[in-house]
Amino acid sequence: MSLRRRRAAAVLRPAVVLSVLAGIALTALGPATVTGLLPYFTIQSNVAVGALALYAGLNAWRDRPDPPSALRGAVTLYITITGVVYHLVLANPASPFAMAQPDRAAGEALGNQLLHTVVPLLAVADWVLFDKRGRLRPRYAAWWLAFPLAYLGFALLRGLVVHGYPYPFLDAGELGYAGVAISALSFAVAFWLLGLLFVGIDRTLSRRTATRPTPTAHSDQEVVVTADRVP
């Protein structure tokens, strides 16, 4: 990573970490405690992004390699899922799974926006700007479904114990397990396609980087010679 990119990463990645910490802390000002927030995919994906940004930021500062592209792609996908599902499904009145949005105090409302909007945008920007290109493969889109599927199992098992579910599309009490299976399959297909979109973006950016002209030693010499002839 060039010095300019390292400096930019040294600014963006701490901003991601601080946004995650502030988002969780401010959200916990509401009725939910920090431990009560942990079962939510939103919190888990934000924590993953914050931890990865911290690690990658330290690596950039020390001029060490970034984490593997497959891992960065996975975590970026998960936080993108958080933002997309919140805005298009949970907070969208037209959605069949819309959740009633409570009246939030200013701090809690800011925390909610940090976790669902700001952090996803910052994480995607970090991935676009600083990840090494051309390393993602279409099969990764299927591999990346492992965590959402594991979360599905966790949410259903937890629901049997506490008789509550974090999201309405996972509520087996209301939808039944057949209904949850249908919604889970629909989301899995959507997440797989989103993962393929990430792979496609990676390949497109890789081609653009490969075709970008770079200065050659010959052209540099011509510039020097031309400059010497200027009176």
Side-chain angles (χ1 to χ4, degrees):
M1 186 181 292
S2 66
L3 179 59
R4 179 181 297 179
R5 288 165 63 85
R6 284 173 56 198
R7 288 175 176 173
V11 173
L12 181 58
R13 288 170 178 171
V16 174
V17 176
L18 291 176
S19 296
V20 170
L21 294 175
I24 295 175
L26 291 171
T27 302
L29 294 176
T33 62
V34 173
T35 54
L37 292 172
L38 289 178
Y40 287 88
F41 189 91
T42 293
I43 302 301
Q44 295 179 19
S45 61
N46 270 271
V47 169
V49 165
L52 188 65
L54 177 61
Y55 177 69
L58 292 174
N59 280 5
W61 180 262
R62 298 169 182 172
D63 197 19
R64 294 180 179 176
D66 269 349
S69 294
L71 176 61
R72 285 173 55 82
V75 174
T76 307
L77 174 64
Y78 301 149
I79 197 64
T80 302
I81 288 172
T82 292
V84 170
V85 171
Y86 174 77
H87 287 287
L88 297 185
V89 179
L90 300 176
N92 179 9
S95 166
F97 298 118
M99 297 178 68
Q101 299 300 306
D103 292 331
R104 297 183 175 94
E108 188 185 356
L110 175 58
N112 183 66
Q113 290 303 315
L114 285 171
L115 297 178
H116 292 105
T117 306
V118 175
V119 172
L121 290 175
L122 291 177
V124 170
D126 181 275
W127 178 76
V128 170
L129 293 173
F130 304 125
D131 196 29
K132 291 186 177 180
R133 305 268 67 97
R135 298 190 174 188
L136 300 185
R137 301 293 180 265
R139 63 180 180 271
Y140 292 177
W143 295 355
W144 291 339
L145 295 179
F147 176 64
L149 291 175
Y151 180 82
L152 170 64
F154 159 77
L156 293 178
L157 288 175
R158 177 179 177 273
L160 292 175
V161 177
V162 302
H163 305 291
Y165 300 87
Y167 300 105
F169 46 79
L170 299 180
D171 192 339
E174 290 290 332
L175 302 176
Y177 287 104
V180 171
I182 293 173
S183 65
L185 180 60
S186 301
F187 279 109
V189 171
F191 298 162
W192 174 65
L193 293 174
L194 185 59
L196 288 178
L197 177 62
F198 271 65
V199 175
I201 293 172
D202 173 70
R203 291 191 170 188
T204 299
L205 294 176
S206 177
R207 287 194 294 267
R208 290 184 178 181
T209 301
T211 57
R212 185 179 302 165
T214 56
T216 63
H218 179 67
S219 62
D220 291 342
Q221 291 174 358
E222 289 180 349
V223 171
V224 174
V225 171
T226 303
D228 291 340
R229 293 178 179 176
V230 175

